[in-house]
Amino acid sequence: MELPDFMSYSGKFSPKGFVEKISRIAKRAGSKLVYAALLLYYTLQSKSVSVKDKAFIIGALGYLISPLDAVPDAIPIVGLGDDLAVLLFVTKKMWGQISEEAKMKAQEKLSTWFDEDEMKEIEEIFPPEELEARKAAEAKKAEEGTTEEKKAE
């Protein structure tokens, strides 16, 4: 599946629009989509995230907010599938920058819409082995950066 050009939707994002949309579609969208959206929303508020990455997040959240995207949200069952794909793609790309605080805030907000069983579904967003592989890759990349800096000195 090829992702749509979600960056062209960055002008559709607003904090108020996001809160209204996510509140309206939460149950229909499911805990995975809502959790990914909330992770990105709270990460967007972090001062440690670069402007470039914030633009990336705004594009994804703007895509979610827009009722007219690759697959219109009004189409039953499949209408939010493209939104979920975009949100998961960006969440995976941003995973190393998503703080524990953002995860806690997202889970706290999620618990206002979903019960315990539905909350368990968010654990399926990224399989544990994928998360471990990502962490290892990020650590290796950080280590290589440190090594390159030492060589430059």
Side-chain angles (χ1 to χ4, degrees):
M1 175 181 160
E2 188 174 320
L3 288 175
D5 178 20
F6 61 90
M7 290 303 294
S8 63
Y9 291 83
S10 60
K12 304 279 187 196
F13 175 77
S14 74
K16 182 181 180 205
F18 172 78
V19 171
E20 287 174 359
K21 173 86 177 214
I22 210 74
S23 297
R24 192 174 64 249
I25 67 163
K27 278 300 204 181
R28 181 170 63 102
S31 60
K32 289 179 187 179
L33 183 145
V34 175
Y35 184 59
L38 289 170
L39 285 173
L40 294 175
Y41 179 73
Y42 291 122
T43 299
L44 181 63
Q45 297 172 4
S46 172
K47 290 178 172 62
S48 65
V49 177
S50 73
V51 173
K52 178 183 170 192
D53 288 337
K54 284 184 178 190
F56 200 50
I57 292 171
I58 288 170
L61 295 178
Y63 188 82
L64 171 67
I65 291 170
S66 177
L68 301 173
D69 50 34
V71 181
D73 297 346
I75 298 175
I77 302 171
V78 298
L80 293 169
D82 60 320
D83 299 81
L84 178 60
V86 166
L87 292 171
L88 290 178
F89 174 78
V90 176
T91 301
K92 283 184 179 187
K93 291 285 187 189
M94 298 296 301
W95 190 252
Q97 295 186 59
I98 298 174
S99 69
E100 289 304 313
E101 180 184 6
K103 292 173 191 174
M104 285 176 35
K105 284 181 176 180
Q107 288 176 9
E108 212 172 274
K109 186 66 174 173
L110 202 65
S111 70
T112 65
W113 291 308
F114 298 98
D115 63 29
E116 279 185 45
D117 289 336
E118 293 167 316
M119 292 284 290
K120 288 179 184 173
E121 292 178 8
I122 66 172
E123 296 168 6
E124 299 168 11
I125 289 179
F126 305 115
E129 60 275 2
E130 183 176 332
L131 289 178
E132 290 304 316
R134 286 186 173 280
K135 285 180 186 175
E138 288 169 7
K140 184 177 179 181
K141 188 175 178 182
E143 186 178 302
E144 287 172 355
T146 305
T147 305
E148 291 299 318
E149 288 173 10
K150 285 182 181 177
K151 285 180 184 177
E153 292 175 356

